[in-house]
Amino acid sequence: MSDNPRLNLGDGYKQYFEIAPALDTARINDVFFIRHDVYARELGFEPVREDQRETDKYDYRSQHCLVRSADGTRLAGCARLVLADPADPDAPLPFEVTCKNTLDRSIIDPALQPRGRIAEVSRLAVMSEFRRRKGEQQTEAVISEQDFGDQKQPRFPYLPVSLYMGAVLMAKRQGIETLFTLTEPRLAEHFAKLGVNIIPIGGPVEHRGQRVPSMLLVNEVYQGLRLMIQPLWHTINEQINAGYAKSAG
């Protein structure tokens, strides 16, 4: 391990983690397992199921990204990209149902957007063993190698950020221009510090805690990133592209 207290985030990430689109049944089942472990077993938001898979009615029109440890032996996190329903393009995205009474349609009216150009990021989950320890939330200014843990117990302070980046890059491949999401207020503040502009588009709703409907403009995400974060974006982009290339090959 290097003594350099400032570690290139991209190099640090790929030393310990791999993000990829979940393009086959095995990886999609890994995504459902993570969601079940976090949302059902740990948080109690969903019922515990015998098959240990958490799924819902939006998964058939979703794409998923999956983070595993670099050696592929442990599942770390996941997120999904809900796309327009190919059979019914006007069918609402999940947030359009949850936030129908709190959206500020003077900012943007999702119902008036080209349905093939919008999508929603949801079901982001990180396995508990890969989250930062309690009390460390304020230690983000200097990223050291210790932030990554070690090979036996890797951690990463920006796993949720990497999952959002993965979803943004997957959306970009689909020609998506506007990504919607329900965010915790503190997560939006955290992203803002990294240069990611998450734009509130309505009042908060109660959805597993207080959530604010928000949007990301896909083609503007990278240009706003702080220099420290850009290497992470490049690494995520490389790994996502490699995942698609491997599937195509």
Side-chain angles (χ1 to χ4, degrees), residues 169-180:
L169 287 160
M170 289 171 65
K172 203 165 186 169
R173 295 178 72 100
Q174 297 290 321
I176 302 298
E177 296 173 354
T178 306
L179 271 181
F180 297 99

Side-chain angles (χ1 to χ4, degrees), residues 66-141:
L66 172 69
V67 175
R68 301 186 296 180
S69 57
D71 61 7
T73 62
R74 281 186 284 175
L75 303 176
C78 64
R80 75 172 175 190
L81 187 67
V82 185
L83 303 169
D85 186 338
D88 182 11
D90 291 328
L93 295 169
F95 87 100
E96 292 180 271
V97 177
T98 305
C99 304
K100 65 180 179 181
N101 296 323
T102 67
L103 288 177
D104 184 345
R105 299 179 195 277
S106 69
I107 300 173
I108 188 170
D109 187 346
L112 300 180
Q113 306 307 305
R115 303 302 287 182
R117 301 293 183 188
I118 66 173
E120 179 178 352
V121 181
S122 68
R123 284 299 198 268
L124 188 146
V126 175
M127 299 286 275
S128 60
E129 66 176 300
F130 292 102
R131 293 186 213 134
R132 303 196 74 184
R133 291 193 295 263
K134 288 182 180 179
E136 293 185 331
Q137 286 80 7
Q138 304 306 315
T139 61
E140 294 154 353

Side-chain angles (χ1 to χ4, degrees), residues 13-32:
Y13 187 88
K14 62 189 173 188
Q15 184 178 354
Y16 294 107
F17 295 101
E18 174 200 62
I19 189 169
L23 300 174
D24 57 45
T25 301
R27 285 199 173 185
I28 292 172
N29 279 327
D30 284 343
V31 166
F32 294 156

Side-chain angles (χ1 to χ4, degrees), residues 63 81 83 117 119 165-179 217-223 233 237 244:
Q63 294 191 357
L81 187 67
L83 303 169
R117 301 293 183 188
M165 285 183 175
V168 168
L169 287 160
M170 289 171 65
K172 203 165 186 169
R173 295 178 72 100
Q174 297 290 321
I176 302 298
E177 296 173 354
T178 306
L179 271 181
L217 301 178
V218 170
N219 294 323
E220 295 180 11
V221 172
Y222 176 76
Q223 66 194 46
W233 172 276
N237 190 34
Y244 280 109

Side-chain angles (χ1 to χ4, degrees), residues 141 158 192-196 222-231:
Y158 293 118
K193 292 175 185 175
L194 305 180
V196 180
Y222 176 76
Q223 66 194 46
L225 289 178
R226 287 176 56 193
L227 288 175
M228 182 184 85
I229 305 300
Q230 289 180 7

